[in-house]
Amino acid sequence: MPLRFHSLDSDRVVVSNLVGEHLVLARAEFDEVVSAGTPSPETLSTMRARHMIRLPDETLPVELLAMKLRTQKRRLADMTSLHMFVVTLRCEHTCRYCQVSRQGTERGEYDMSQDTAEAALRHVFASPSPQLKIEFQGGESLLNFELIRWIVERAEEINELERRDLAFVIATNLALIDDEMLDFCEAHRIVLSTSLDGPEDLHDHNRRRPGQDSWQRAVDGIERVRDRLGTDYVSALMTTTEESLERPEAIIDSYVDLGLTGIFLRPISPYGFALRLRGGGQYDAKRWLEFYKRGLAHIIELNRAGTPITEIYAAIIAKKMFSNNDPAYVDLTSPAGIGIGGIVYNYDGSIYASDEGRMLAESDDQTFKLGTVDDSWTDIMSSNRLLSPLWESYTLSSPGCDQCAFEPWCGSDPTFHHATMGDFAGHKTFSAFCTRNMGIFTHLVELADSDPYARDLLWTWGQR
Amino acid sequence: MIPLRGRSTTTGWTQPRTDIWQIARPDDPRVSERALLLDDDGRTRDGAGLYISKDQFLSGPGPTVHVPDELGHLAPGDVVVVSDDGTRVNVAWKATATHNSILLTERCDHYCLMCSQPPKDGDDSYLYGRAKRIISALPFAAKAVSLTGGEPTIDPHAFLDLLEHIAATRPNLSTHILSNGRRFSDKAFTTEYASVAIEDMMVGIPLYAADPSLHDYIVQSEDAFNTSVKGILNLVAAGAGVEIRVVIQKANVAQLSELARYITRNLPFVNQVVLMGLEMTGLARPNTDLVWVDPHDYRRELREAYHLLSSAGIYTRIYNHQLCVVDRELWPAAVQSISDWKNDYPDLCQPCSVKDQCSGVFSTSGSRLSPNLRPIVDVEMSS
Ligand code: SF4
Ligand code: SF4
């Protein structure tokens, strides 16, 4: 049956099947397998169990593979579930890595209007997805809370007939949250997603605002939301900058101190302003990988010592390694998640295939602009502006990816490759996306192979 | 342990109209179709279809069977099978037991190394009919039945006919079927099976390894794994309940976690998985060297398989394991699974503080027990 492999080091090889079940073999043993020699009975037995080989007339393994693949790709038929509304570009922060926000401007010019929001909601409900998540972004989204309130109420009104599984998230720095907003969030079960870069000095260095109190306000905000709405209603995201690279443990500990049970060790994105020298983005994927590995090691030790905390990127990949469930993470899926997984309605009514695509537009690259809210859903979804990047970047037909043992766990990121290489598929040998992910995949495989505790932990993360 | 069969004698014998008798209370209005027990002084009432006496000399006012002392436990609500000449009595149903099973056939297309009920080839088709009569004679309070073999589906028509009979007469009787699953690889059969209107019905199907050839070796039958898994898939597709039963033995211990992974990845939709200890009877005895493994020696494998399955959200139970040879964190999943009639506690269990929660051992296993059984004296368990 179809299988692919990748050398871990001189002695070991990881083999994977069509749906991402994998097995680590000693190289000599692997050579026996691929040269039709005499592998050990244990190897043959495991390879049969993991649907890598079969007897010539066996049909069940093929049926099961098909079933697993179908399960993994099931959400494709549902179409877009994540709908991001950029309700304003205004922000009171001047973060060093920020790509889009506008400071000190008056209400109006950079705010989404009610008419635009109404038209965008028509798109949201035109998507056939049974699950709909509306995520409010900025700028600082709370600066246009009036519109958020209107959109939530209007969406709920529409949903009385539509009966979708409708959820709301506000991405916010929490600096401006007040009791009235909390009341509203509580009444409508809105999740708040905030930014927290780590310890106070690091966070405030990255995330500047008048008074230099961004960290304190974020921390207070997290506690307030948790007290009012419960732990499940607040999560934090961190962005890695040059200054973070030496401090993964301190960053993670700052999350633990706040009682947060998940941290997403994210690389900085190479888009928009961050590509310029404004700060923090000038490090390569290799250094980021070192940071990631150190951080993950710390997280595993914390768990081993009884403090449960999940690294969310590893958990997403573990889900693909150890189950057929789709983690529904738009940045690691193939076909890509642009447009068909998540879509962005900008403040001015333009529609982008991804958040990164919107940021590219800020530096005058309109490649991922699919149209405006005045176009029809069908036109947006069937336009070549969306379909070309989707099919050109599809991993099973991308050079490099098609042969890659990690293809079932990986995804395609046409926005990234377009931004960095001018090509939707990208040249994977030189792609930071590929270096980063391949580095993480091999690292996770080696961890699971060498440390039973880490393997059990990854397994557990993968089953959630 | 409760004996289930005995030699009997008769008084006033005329061949009764049926071989299956529910033992009724004296005030039962349908006493003419039922059997009555004589009390210790030989008292009873008139009109019963059959009298059962626990005394060799006291008889009732009609045909009477005198049962031996082993069957002294018989009580109203039980169902017995009485041979035509009245010389043998088998207990088909014990009202107080939590597990009651009905044997549908001794034929089977597997010949598992550790089979506790070794298949026999003769024509035993009368058993399906007898099962129907037992169902008809069940006391009103009967809640659950297990249909066993052999392979219960060996005669598919008789099997479905029996299920239809249960659906028509006792649709609330929770029905568990122990099958090797192969018959269910036939879609038409499975569709018909799934349409039977019994409220709560489940098939328990054995899978012994994720590697087809190892499973086929253990069940001594070619293509068994592939056929049984197809059966499971068909059952799930038809909306029927499925339980996977894994008997842990020498040949599959090392691959237990591989099987657990296989189930989470390929069959995550089954209703439950049961990890079972050996019953050292039937073929397991002559095959002791091929099958026996001390549960104490596979605690790690059991724990790992349990965690793989349950963390993936699959409801997992542990049957036939003595608590003292199972990791304590697994105790909540360890079920008192051994049928009352073959359940025992060796003498060493007397001081054990968890005896009330422990499954004990199979009396049928004889002396083949883990040498590592040790009474637990340091735990107070609330019962
Ligand atoms: S991007 Fe790299 S790691 Fe991912 S599938 Fe392609 S070659 Fe493999
Ligand atoms: S000593 Fe006996 S009762 Fe106690 S756990 Fe062991 S087998 Fe069970």
Side-chain angles (χ1 to χ4, degrees):
Chain A
M1 291 197 275
L3 60 81
R4 288 172 280 189
F5 48 87
H6 182 90
S7 291
L8 294 171
D9 51 40
S10 54
D11 294 335
R12 286 170 320 146
V13 178
V14 55
V15 186
S16 70
N17 74 354
L18 185 67
V19 296
E21 288 167 278
H22 76 283
L23 171 66
V24 176
L25 289 175
R27 178 169 295 274
E29 184 70 357
F30 174 73
D31 289 344
E32 292 294 328
V33 173
V34 289
S35 63
T38 47
S40 74
E42 289 76 33
T43 301
L44 291 176
S45 180
T46 311
M47 290 186 78
R48 270 184 94 182
R50 299 191 189 178
H51 293 156
M52 295 168 179
I53 55 175
R54 63 167 171 141
L55 297 184
D57 49 356
E58 270 186 311
T59 56
L60 179 68
V62 182
E63 284 170 38
L64 286 169
L65 266 183
M67 188 182 77
K68 289 184 272 194
L69 196 60
R70 247 188 341 262
T71 307
Q72 292 176 351
K73 304 282 182 193
R74 191 176 42 194
R75 289 175 65 100
L76 271 179
D78 291 346
M79 299 283 293
T80 322
S81 61
L82 175 64
H83 298 263
M84 290 167 270
F85 281 62
V86 182
V87 290
T88 180
L89 273 196
R90 292 181 294 127
C91 188
E92 28 61 79
H93 270 67
T94 45
C95 299
R96 296 171 73 239
Y97 42 67
C98 182
Q99 295 128 32
V100 288
S101 71
R102 297 287 186 283
Q103 288 77 35
T105 50
E106 287 305 302
R107 177 171 288 274
E109 189 185 356
Y110 292 110
D111 290 346
M112 184 182 272
S113 73
Q114 224 175 68
D115 286 348
T116 302
E118 172 84 47
L121 280 175
R122 278 200 291 277
H123 285 263
V124 173
F125 285 96
S127 164
S129 175
Q131 272 117 31
L132 294 174
K133 183 188 273 183
I134 295 181
E135 183 174 312
F136 300 105
Q137 301 213 346
E140 169 46 44
S141 49
L142 295 185
L143 284 172
N144 197 4
F145 193 74
E146 278 318 297
L147 186 71
I148 293 181
R149 183 190 289 273
W150 185 86
I151 292 172
V152 168
E153 284 169 351
R154 179 76 185 111
E156 285 177 342
E157 187 182 322
I158 299 171
N159 201 40
E160 273 170 30
L161 275 178
E162 290 281 347
R163 299 258 154 230
R164 312 287 184 94
D165 179 359
L166 180 63
F168 302 98
V169 178
I170 302 178
T172 166
N173 58 43
L174 286 179
L176 304 173
I177 190 115
D178 62 26
D179 283 336
E180 202 185 321
M181 294 174 185
L182 281 172
D183 287 342
F184 185 78
C185 290
E186 186 176 23
H188 297 269
R189 314 188 74 73
I190 301 174
V191 172
L192 292 145
S193 163
T194 193
S195 297
L196 189 73
D197 283 358
E200 184 165 9
D201 62 316
L202 178 62
H203 180 98
D204 286 341
H205 176 75
N206 288 340
R207 304 183 58 83
R208 303 190 170 166
R209 80 184 299 281
Q212 279 303 90
D213 58 352
S214 173
W215 186 83
Q216 194 58 53
R217 281 173 178 260
V219 167
D220 291 348
I222 289 171
E223 271 159 10
R224 279 172 78 186
V225 179
R226 200 167 36 207
D227 289 350
R228 278 294 291 280
L229 310 182
T231 327
D232 294 345
Y233 283 85
V234 62
S235 65
L237 279 175
M238 55 93 44
T239 301
T240 317
T241 58
E242 182 83 33
E243 290 77 10
S244 318
L245 289 176
E246 287 310 314
R247 306 176 62 184
E249 295 84 6
I251 294 171
I252 291 156
D253 290 345
S254 74
Y255 272 62
V256 172
D257 290 345
L258 270 170
L260 295 165
T261 53
I263 182 167
F264 197 147
L265 298 176
R266 289 195 312 168
I268 193 169
S269 60
Y271 308 104
F273 296 164
L275 272 181
R276 297 180 212 145
L277 279 180
R278 187 149 165 212
Q282 305 307 306
Y283 57 87
D284 63 18
K286 291 228 165 62
R287 286 186 64 204
W288 183 82
L289 264 177
E290 288 313 312
F291 164 82
Y292 181 84
K293 290 181 192 172
R294 252 176 77 183
L296 187 60
H298 185 58
I299 287 171
I300 292 170
E301 287 322 308
L302 282 169
N303 279 283
R304 212 192 297 265
T307 305
I309 176 162
T310 307
E311 200 288 296
I312 294 166
Y313 200 57
I316 289 167
I317 295 166
K319 190 163 257 192
K320 299 180 177 220
M321 290 169 79
F322 299 122
S323 83
N324 307 309
N325 300 330
D326 174 4
Y329 178 64
V330 292
D331 291 344
L332 206 61
T333 173
S334 176
I338 59 166
I340 56 174
I343 198 162
V344 181
Y345 309 97
N346 207 5
Y347 71 97
D348 60 1
S350 43
I351 295 183
Y352 290 95
S354 64
D355 204 28
E356 291 77 11
R358 153 177 85 113
M359 294 174 188
L360 276 184
E362 293 293 327
S363 33
D364 293 329
D365 179 347
Q366 298 288 352
T367 309
F368 293 94
K369 179 170 169 178
L370 301 178
T372 75
V373 289
D374 298 324
D375 297 320
S376 77
W377 170 260
T378 321
D379 285 349
I380 296 273
M381 284 295 140
S382 56
S383 81
N384 276 333
R385 298 184 73 82
L386 178 58
L387 297 182
S388 297
L390 282 176
W391 69 257
E392 284 181 31
S393 68
Y394 183 57
T395 49
L396 279 175
S397 59
S398 289
C401 302
D402 62 333
Q403 307 275 330
C404 177
F406 305 120
E407 185 276 331
W409 307 338
C410 201
S412 67
D413 192 341
T415 328
F416 179 92
H417 290 110
H418 168 79
T420 54
M421 298 179 155
D423 175 272
F424 293 132
H427 192 317
K428 294 300 170 8
T429 314
F430 307 109
S431 153
F433 172 88
C434 178
T435 309
R436 191 156 39 82
N437 282 313
M438 199 179 281
I440 295 178
F441 299 144
T442 46
H443 185 61
L444 295 181
V445 167
E446 284 171 337
L447 268 179
D449 191 40
S450 59
D451 176 355
Y453 180 81
R455 185 196 54 211
D456 289 352
L457 187 64
L458 286 173
W459 173 275
T460 317
W461 288 352
Q463 303 299 338
R464 283 207 287 253
Chain B
M1 174 168 168
I2 307 170
L4 290 185
R5 66 197 66 212
R7 289 262 165 203
S8 48
T9 56
T10 57
T11 307
W13 196 250
T14 49
Q15 187 179 336
R17 53 159 195 89
T18 176
D19 55 340
I20 309 290
W21 294 90
Q22 184 196 130
I23 303 177
R25 295 181 189 287
D27 57 359
D28 191 319
R30 291 168 65 190
V31 71
S32 64
E33 303 160 28
R34 307 228 155 120
L36 279 182
L37 273 176
L38 275 60
D39 72 12
D40 290 348
D41 301 321
R43 280 181 304 230
T44 184
R45 57 169 273 200
D46 284 346
L50 181 76
Y51 291 91
I52 297 177
S53 169
K54 296 178 185 176
D55 186 290
Q56 297 312 305
F57 303 106
L58 299 173
S59 22
T64 304
V65 281
H66 305 270
V67 296
D69 290 348
E70 306 94 271
L71 296 184
H73 59 78
L74 286 176
D78 295 350
V79 175
V80 291
V81 186
V82 181
S83 63
D84 287 350
D85 58 4
T87 60
R88 284 188 316 276
V89 174
N90 287 351
V91 183
W93 195 271
K94 199 58 206 152
T96 52
T98 39
H99 306 83
N100 275 294
S101 57
I102 303 178
L103 180 81
L104 301 192
T105 177
E106 293 190 288
R107 290 167 287 160
C108 187
D109 45 356
H110 282 179
Y111 205 77
C112 302
L113 294 180
M114 70 303 164
C115 182
S116 57
Q117 194 102 45
K120 297 194 189 111
D121 253 347
D123 176 15
D124 57 7
S125 47
Y126 71 96
L127 284 171
Y128 286 101
R130 192 170 89 176
K132 278 172 81 168
R133 295 196 297 280
I134 294 173
I135 295 291
S136 299
L138 289 187
F140 192 68
K143 289 197 178 62
V145 66
S146 173
L147 304 177
T148 67
E151 170 50 43
T153 67
I154 204 92
D155 178 341
H157 304 291
F159 172 73
L160 290 172
D161 181 54
L162 170 66
L163 293 184
E164 289 296 357
H165 178 69
I166 297 176
T169 57
R170 304 299 297 265
N172 301 325
L173 188 67
S174 149
T175 304
H176 190 280
I177 299 141
L178 279 179
S179 163
N180 62 35
R182 302 185 71 158
R183 180 72 65 190
F184 296 96
S185 67
D186 173 349
K187 277 206 172 104
F189 172 81
T190 306
T191 311
E192 213 175 317
Y193 163 81
S195 69
V196 174
I198 296 175
E199 260 174 39
D200 175 23
M201 189 160 62
M202 169 117 87
V203 198
I205 295 177
L207 273 193
Y208 298 135
D211 172 5
S213 35
L214 178 53
H215 175 89
D216 292 0
Y217 159 72
I218 292 174
V219 307
Q220 294 286 301
S221 171
E222 268 177 41
D223 209 29
F225 179 89
N226 287 336
T227 321
S228 292
V229 172
K230 278 184 191 173
I232 294 172
L233 295 175
N234 285 344
L235 280 162
V236 171
V242 180
E243 166 191 270
I244 292 179
R245 304 196 138 213
V246 186
V247 176
I248 305 169
Q249 51 194 298
K250 193 173 191 174
N252 67 2
V253 160
Q255 303 207 30
L256 203 55
S257 62
E258 191 63 36
L259 176 60
R261 275 189 210 99
Y262 181 92
I263 293 170
T264 65
R265 197 83 196 218
N266 295 283
L267 306 167
F269 29 64
V270 296
N271 298 69
Q272 64 177 11
V273 174
V274 183
L275 304 170
M276 305 174 61
L278 283 163
E279 178 181 357
M280 290 303 289
T281 185
L283 290 180
R285 286 219 184 175
N287 287 339
T288 297
D289 289 345
L290 294 176
V291 303
W292 171 252
V293 55
D294 179 357
H296 186 263
D297 295 340
Y298 63 69
R299 281 168 304 166
R300 188 178 56 80
E301 286 85 351
L302 183 65
R303 185 182 59 220
E304 187 171 346
Y306 175 79
H307 280 306
L308 287 167
L309 290 161
S310 55
S311 62
I314 296 172
Y315 186 69
T316 306
R317 301 284 89 183
I318 296 169
Y319 282 8
N320 309 348
H321 280 77
Q322 299 76 45
L323 292 179
C324 51
V325 287
V326 172
D327 263 18
R328 290 193 184 189
E329 53 179 304
L330 265 52
W331 283 8
V335 175
Q336 287 189 296
S337 50
I338 301 179
S339 312
D340 321 40
W341 65 272
K342 50 182 177 181
N343 186 212
D344 238 338
Y345 294 87
D347 289 343
L348 67 89
C349 297
Q350 285 320 319
C352 183
S353 57
V354 297
K355 190 165 167 252
D356 290 350
Q357 284 80 30
C358 180
S359 76
V361 303
F362 283 106
S363 55
T364 44
S365 285
S367 57
R368 206 16 147 167
L369 304 174
S370 167
N372 290 296
L373 300 182
R374 301 275 181 280
I376 308 268
V377 287
D378 60 330
V379 193
E380 286 289 316
M381 275 182 85
S382 52
S383 40

